[in-house]
Amino acid sequence: MTSKELDIEFRDAVDRVNDHTEPFPADFLLRLYAFFKKATNNYDRPSSRKPIINAFKANALFQVKNITRDEAKQEYINLVNNYFLYRK
């Protein structure tokens, strides 16, 4: 897959998540968060009002620190595709 194709698929996956109206499981959201932040090179500190949420987000980011942006995009796409494939 070319870099351009990957970017298009990534944006489509992000749109699917943003358009979804039902709540996602917390562990799924954390993985999406980490892959999205890595894929977009957004290294801002987590900004939840609850310190425990920030700790979970920081841990999720730590777990993806050794992958590339393209790997993060692909993992995000895979997560989204699998979620919507196997949900009720």
Side-chain angles (χ1 to χ4, degrees), residues 8-20 24-25 27-29 31-33 35-36 72-87:
I8 291 168
E9 279 197 46
F10 177 70
R11 283 193 302 266
D12 288 345
V14 170
D15 289 343
R16 284 180 82 186
V17 169
N18 289 334
D19 292 342
H20 188 66
F24 289 107
D27 62 328
F28 179 76
L29 283 175
R31 291 187 302 166
L32 283 179
Y33 171 83
F35 289 129
F36 180 84
K73 288 177 185 178
Q74 188 61 58
E75 288 300 321
Y76 187 98
I77 293 164
N78 293 343
L79 277 174
V80 171
N81 288 342
N82 285 336
Y83 178 83
F84 285 106
L85 179 65
Y86 293 111
R87 68 182 275 264

Side-chain angles (χ1 to χ4, degrees), residues 13-74:
V14 170
D15 289 343
R16 284 180 82 186
V17 169
N18 289 334
D19 292 342
H20 188 66
T21 57
E22 297 173 21
F24 289 107
D27 62 328
F28 179 76
L29 283 175
L30 281 170
R31 291 187 302 166
L32 283 179
Y33 171 83
F35 289 129
F36 180 84
K37 290 286 211 171
K38 183 71 175 195
T40 59
N41 269 345
N42 181 341
Y43 296 106
D44 295 341
R45 295 179 64 191
S47 60
S48 175
R49 292 182 181 169
K50 297 183 180 182
I52 189 72
I53 300 297
N54 289 332
F56 279 115
K57 286 180 173 182
N59 183 52
L61 289 171
F62 180 76
Q63 291 179 25
V64 299
K65 72 177 184 169
N66 292 322
I67 66 172
T68 67
R69 287 184 68 202
D70 285 347
E71 288 171 329
K73 288 177 185 178
Q74 188 61 58

